[in-house]
Amino acid sequence: MSDIIGGYFTSHVPAIGGAIAKGLQEDPYWKPFFDGYPPISEWLNEEKPDVAVVFYNDHGLNFFLDKMPTFAVGAADEYQNADEGWGLPVSKPFRGDAALSWHIIENLISDEFDITTCQKMLVDHAMTIPFQLAWPDREAWPVKVVPIAINTVQHPLPSAKRCLALGRSVGRALESWNSNDKIVVIGTGGLSHQLDGERAGFINADYDRFCLDHLMDDPEALVGDSIAGIVEKAGTQGVEILNWIAARGALGERALAKRAENYHIPISNTAAASLVLEAV
Ligand code: DHB
Ligand code: FE
């Protein structure tokens, strides 16, 4: 049977990619942020997962406002990154696990989630930055991936409750996946941030703390708010917490322990956080 080792959650601010490219990990602005990642790399190097199931949001690279699926699951053998205009080096490609993707898709559809399936899919900084942080200095990514994109960009967005249910359905698919693979679940984005409008630069450390404190043992506490309520508390882009909520759902009911946690304000315009919930 496949083995779910736990969840890795992280912000995905593009400027992190610039800092990595320039080797700024020890720079005073960046150090408190990058210091959160060695324990995460250590955990992954110890556990050596074979596959990563990644809940993230596309920011206009693969899906633009003209065609925006609420939930999209990649079902390819390879995923490429491309220039998004942030001035970042284009990432090495990701190997897919199309067989696992289709198993997840079958389960989601039978659980009545009307998802979009993507046999061709570009993946953006929401996927590349978390991988660079977790597995620095690798010639090739050491895991195959199943990317699951949630619309956090163009309203109406799926509710937090629906994202938790989606994640739980993915989790059931992982539990019934007949393989010897070790699987890590990844959720990217957040925490509170707002990039535009009157509240540009808005950060809410109290709400972030609430999310970090409840995600592991009481994820239901994060799904009581409407999308408008989450935007009010977390900022327009802080709704990326939906990816974390879905990833938490995929970890199911198994016992978890906090293996790593870091919270730092700000990175660019964002309250940056990283978290590992290890299956115990
Ligand atoms: C920033 C944060 C994001 O989540 C993102 O996708 C783009 C930019 C930022 O804080 O600059
Ligand atoms: Fe983002």
Side-chain angles (χ1 to χ4, degrees):
M1 274 332 265
S2 59
D3 172 18
I4 301 174
I5 65 161
Y8 157 44
F9 305 80
T10 180
S11 304
H12 59 221
V13 180
I16 299 161
I20 292 172
K22 292 184 201 127
L24 295 178
Q25 288 86 341
E26 296 297 316
D27 177 276
Y29 177 86
W30 288 101
K31 189 171 165 31
F33 168 76
F34 279 107
D35 279 352
Y37 292 88
I40 296 174
S41 300
E42 192 182 288
W43 176 63
L44 291 165
N45 290 338
E46 219 174 272
E47 292 287 342
K48 296 187 180 42
D50 304 286
V51 187
V53 175
V54 188
F55 295 86
Y56 74 110
N57 60 294
D58 183 90
H59 301 70
L61 181 67
N62 192 72
F63 305 114
F64 198 59
L65 304 181
D66 59 338
K67 298 180 198 73
M68 183 58 73
T70 299
F71 300 123
V73 182
D77 288 321
E78 189 183 77
Y79 304 91
Q80 303 271 356
N81 175 227
D83 185 0
E84 298 173 60
W86 296 103
L88 302 178
V90 171
S91 167
K92 48 193 172 267
F94 295 79
R95 280 177 302 137
D97 187 338
L100 175 56
S101 289
W102 285 113
H103 175 71
I104 291 171
I105 289 163
E106 296 270 359
N107 273 268
L108 283 168
I109 298 279
S110 79
D111 278 349
E112 301 181 344
F113 286 92
D114 303 320
I115 49 160
T116 299
T117 58
C118 300
Q119 297 186 61
K120 209 170 163 193
M121 194 181 192
L122 291 171
V123 291
D124 77 0
H125 67 272
M127 182 122 163
T128 62
I129 300 288
F131 273 62
Q132 286 175 37
L133 287 165
W135 291 284
D137 307 320
R138 295 290 182 119
E139 246 170 61
W141 301 125
V143 288
K144 292 189 282 183
V145 300
V146 175
I148 303 180
I150 296 178
N151 171 27
T152 69
V153 172
Q154 174 156 271
H155 292 255
L157 311 184
S159 70
K161 187 168 163 236
R162 187 72 174 151
C163 292
L164 184 62
L166 175 97
R168 285 180 171 154
S169 174
V170 171
R172 287 191 292 276
L174 300 181
E175 271 155 36
S176 65
W177 179 231
N178 202 356
S179 83
N180 293 322
D181 283 346
K182 289 177 106 177
I183 301 173
V184 61
V185 174
I186 302 180
T188 94
L191 290 179
S192 59
H193 63 300
Q194 169 141 350
L195 302 180
D196 46 24
E198 274 176 26
R199 291 200 310 169
F202 173 79
I203 277 173
N204 182 348
D206 289 341
Y207 179 66
D208 293 339
R209 196 62 258 161
F210 174 84
C211 292
L212 287 166
D213 288 345
H214 288 85
L215 190 72
M216 181 169 81
D217 289 332
D218 187 15
E220 300 284 347
L222 277 68
V223 307
D225 291 315
S226 65
I227 289 296
I230 296 176
V231 166
E232 195 175 332
K233 288 182 180 173
T236 42
Q237 280 73 36
V239 283
E240 290 176 348
I241 190 70
L242 294 176
N243 304 324
W244 287 48
I245 291 169
R248 170 63 188 90
L251 297 175
E253 300 296 320
R254 62 182 42 71
L256 298 167
K258 258 188 203 181
R259 165 88 186 226
E261 183 184 318
N262 192 37
Y263 181 71
H264 177 66
I265 299 173
I267 287 300
S268 184
N269 294 296
T270 298
S274 56
L275 177 70
V276 167
L277 302 182
E278 181 180 27
V280 289

